Amino acid sequence: MTAVPADADRPTPKAPGLAARLRASIGAEKVLTDPAQLRTYECDGLTNFRVRPAVVVLAEHRDDVVAAVRLCAEAGVPFVARGSGTGLSGGAVPVADGVLIVLSRLRRIVSVDPDNARVVVEPGVINLSVTREAAPYGQAYAPDPSSQQVCSIGGNVAENAGGAHCLKYGFTVNHVMGAEVVLPDGEVVHLGGTAPEHPGLDLLGAFVGSEGTLGVATEVTVRTIQAPESVQTMLVGFHTVEDAAGAVSDIIAAGILPAAIEMMDALAIEAAEAAVNCGYPRGAVAVLVIELDGPHVEVDEQFVQVEQLAAARHAFETRIARDAAERALMWKGRKSAFAAVGRISPAYYVQDGVIPRTRLPEILTEVGRLAERAGIRVANVFHAGDGNLHPLILFDDTVPGAAHAAEELGFAILDLCVDAGGSITGEHGVGLEKKSRMTRQFTDEDLDTMQLVRCAFDPDNIANPGKQFPTPRLCGERPGVRTAADTHDPALGEVF
């Protein structure tokens, strides 16, 4: 896997004296330049990409963010916003001679409004905290990434995060009503608002999922949902991956929309058992975690249908959670799956692609063939209901070339997804990792149009530069064929 090396010596911003101006503006204790401290921030959850920033700003208030962005804009210095750092695509990797603006201290719950089903938070607020704030009113925040105990709302907005329950309730973009945003020139604007719909261009929709390339969110208004009257969770064991995948399609085809359908194969189950002793069915080659929610009558009826459909696909064991504790145990194995593979492999690389749900059996079979051909183990754990795959590619990072081989297998799986009519990412974003595959999914005209939107927000290309696009253009550049020279981004110190 191609890593972006951290620089050996103390990095310095492009503009001399910027660190001093930042200290004078927002306080010396919030501005870090010591190399040992900077190393803490050189990567996000995808540790293969590492760049040490020149300056780290530990913002504590919106005004700190505004001041930092304005000073960067005046000096022409690139900046990157970072939340909890749990991203898995290199989206929060700093720029070598730029400023990293850390938002994890902006964690104030601004307001909770149960009557209008909304909560206003700062970007550093942890995802699960929103549900905890809404719970006393019988409400919850639906997007629930596996990292929901540590990931931040600001990061969720940047990547348009999903989660197990996105099958029924949608992604982050479906739950963000408004955002206060610091544009790349330091101007503060408000996108969306407090109503479900707004007239005019959907600038909020463009901002959510833009991976920090259009500005920095300093306050977010999210929609909460009413907690369902009934929740039933079942764990179903199958002897083949094909039967499990077929059951997923059968359930959706029957007109049943579960809150979640998650799938794990034998290798992922082995890892989860070693890590958290979740007690999944012995001998299962694949398991489904299926959760139904809604009115009691509806859930009870659908539950019977799902059991019948699973049995028709040769399910050999079905367990029903009797209470919240058993439900939590069923989910524990799935939620811990990414970290759990550390029990069975020295290192792993997680991919994130999407395929049409009806093609799950054939694509999973082909992933197995690719893995066997490469001599690499792959543990499959994913959001089966909407076809969002998360293959965990296991390798030994002490073996020369093993990381690169894992990366190549991951890209081959993404190519499978695109060829099947899917996407190179479902919820992890493009970041640094997948930008080389953007041309596999989009035409040059598509990419030019996307970059015109970026240029409208950030004409100087200083907000998280070098991310998403394989060949970033200057905003004054006319559309057309680009050359090899265009693929060098001196701001990141890398060639892609």
Side-chain angles (χ1 to χ4, degrees):
M1 207 170 300
T2 305
V4 180
D7 47 338
D9 301 313
R10 178 193 296 266
T12 56
K14 284 182 175 179
L18 179 57
R21 292 196 293 276
L22 286 165
R23 289 190 181 98
S25 178
I26 66 176
E29 72 283 357
K30 302 176 189 176
V31 180
L32 308 180
T33 55
D34 180 81
Q37 293 176 313
L38 297 177
R39 286 199 183 280
T40 301
Y41 303 97
E42 65 186 10
C43 70
D44 60 11
L46 183 65
T47 58
N48 305 87
F49 295 99
R50 295 177 183 271
V51 175
R52 184 149 46 106
V55 180
V56 168
V57 172
L58 302 177
E60 295 182 354
H61 309 284
R62 183 199 70 174
D63 292 347
D64 294 341
V65 179
V66 173
V69 171
R70 283 180 178 166
L71 287 170
C72 286
E74 289 170 4
V77 171
F79 67 87
V80 177
R82 173 190 170 104
S84 295
T86 58
L88 292 168
S89 64
V93 171
V95 175
D97 50 7
V99 175
L100 185 71
I101 304 174
V102 179
L103 306 173
S104 56
R105 295 185 178 184
L106 275 72
R107 47 177 177 258
R108 185 168 60 101
I109 304 287
V110 178
S111 66
V112 180
D113 183 357
D115 292 337
N116 290 294
R118 62 187 181 225
V119 178
V120 182
V121 300
E122 290 184 329
V125 169
I126 300 304
N127 175 290
L128 191 58
S129 297
V130 181
T131 285
R132 287 173 176 162
E133 291 290 331
Y137 307 99
Q139 296 177 0
Y141 182 58
D144 60 339
S146 294
S147 57
Q148 68 179 144
Q149 296 185 58
V150 290
C151 66
S152 65
I153 292 296
N156 292 172
V157 169
E159 304 298 333
N160 190 24
H165 290 84
C166 64
L167 171 63
K168 183 173 184 177
Y169 293 106
F171 289 73
T172 297
V173 70
N174 303 114
H175 299 270
V176 174
M177 302 171 70
E180 177 187 82
V181 175
V182 181
L183 296 179
D185 63 357
E187 179 185 359
V188 179
V189 299
H190 292 84
L191 307 179
T194 57
E197 298 291 339
H198 298 273
L201 296 174
D202 184 15
L203 297 178
L204 179 65
F207 182 81
V208 177
S210 61
E211 303 188 24
T213 62
L214 305 185
V216 183
T218 50
E219 191 174 279
V220 183
T221 301
V222 299
R223 176 174 67 92
T224 54
I225 61 170
Q226 195 67 31
E229 182 180 75
S230 175
V231 178
Q232 289 204 34
T233 307
M234 69 171 73
L235 182 68
V236 188
F238 295 86
H239 287 303
T240 70
V241 168
E242 291 75 17
D243 279 340
V248 173
S249 291
D250 293 346
I251 291 166
I252 304 297
I256 300 169
L257 185 61
I261 308 181
E262 299 291 296
M263 182 171 166
M264 298 171 65
D265 70 6
L267 197 52
I269 295 167
E270 178 188 340
E273 290 292 354
V276 298
N277 192 28
C278 49
Y280 282 0
R282 287 184 178 277
V285 175
V287 297
L288 295 179
V289 180
I290 305 172
E291 190 157 280
L292 301 166
D293 67 11
H296 284 295
V297 174
E298 178 183 289
V299 170
D300 290 345
E301 182 178 339
Q302 289 182 345
F303 203 84
V304 173
Q305 289 180 269
V306 169
E307 281 190 291
Q308 293 171 344
L309 291 167
R313 287 283 184 171
H314 315 296
F316 71 88
E317 185 173 339
T318 299
R319 298 180 189 171
I320 301 168
R322 292 171 295 183
D323 52 33
E326 288 192 1
R327 181 178 303 118
L329 186 59
M330 288 181 182
W331 278 110
K332 190 174 184 179
R334 167 60 186 92
K335 290 282 188 177
S336 65
F338 284 13
V341 295
R343 295 298 187 99
I344 62 172
S345 176
Y348 73 92
Y349 171 50
V350 59
Q351 258 301 353
D352 166 51
V354 183
I355 61 171
R357 182 173 47 241
T358 54
R359 301 194 65 178
L360 274 172
E362 72 176 272
I363 297 299
L364 290 175
T365 298
E366 187 59 30
V367 168
R369 289 198 190 103
L370 287 173
E372 184 177 2
R373 195 177 307 147
I376 298 174
R377 295 188 299 167
V378 175
N380 288 292
V381 50
F382 54 93
H383 309 311
D386 55 2
N388 188 183
L389 306 182
H390 292 313
L392 299 162
I393 302 167
L394 313 185
F395 65 97
D396 185 345
D397 52 353
T398 65
V399 176
H404 178 70
E407 182 183 42
E408 289 303 306
L409 176 56
F411 283 151
I413 292 171
L414 289 186
D415 290 344
L416 273 182
C417 293
V418 174
D419 291 342
S423 169
I424 62 171
T425 181
E427 56 183 348
H428 292 178
V430 176
L432 282 175
E433 177 208 20
K434 298 189 186 75
K435 63 182 184 178
S436 66
R437 281 307 187 270
M438 287 286 276
T439 53
R440 192 75 167 71
Q441 182 168 350
F442 300 104
T443 66
D444 287 344
E445 290 76 14
D446 292 333
L447 294 172
D448 282 335
T449 300
M450 294 178 197
Q451 295 204 62
L452 285 172
V453 174
R454 177 185 64 80
C455 289
F457 280 79
D458 181 22
D460 295 325
N461 191 27
I462 63 170
N464 208 8
K467 310 295 171 60
Q468 291 191 314
F469 299 107
T471 51
R473 331 181 148 270
L474 299 175
C475 290
E477 189 179 1
R478 295 183 61 184
V481 177
R482 283 160 280 183
T483 68
D486 295 318
T487 64
H488 179 255
D489 187 342
L492 278 172
E494 68 163 334
V495 177
F496 16 86

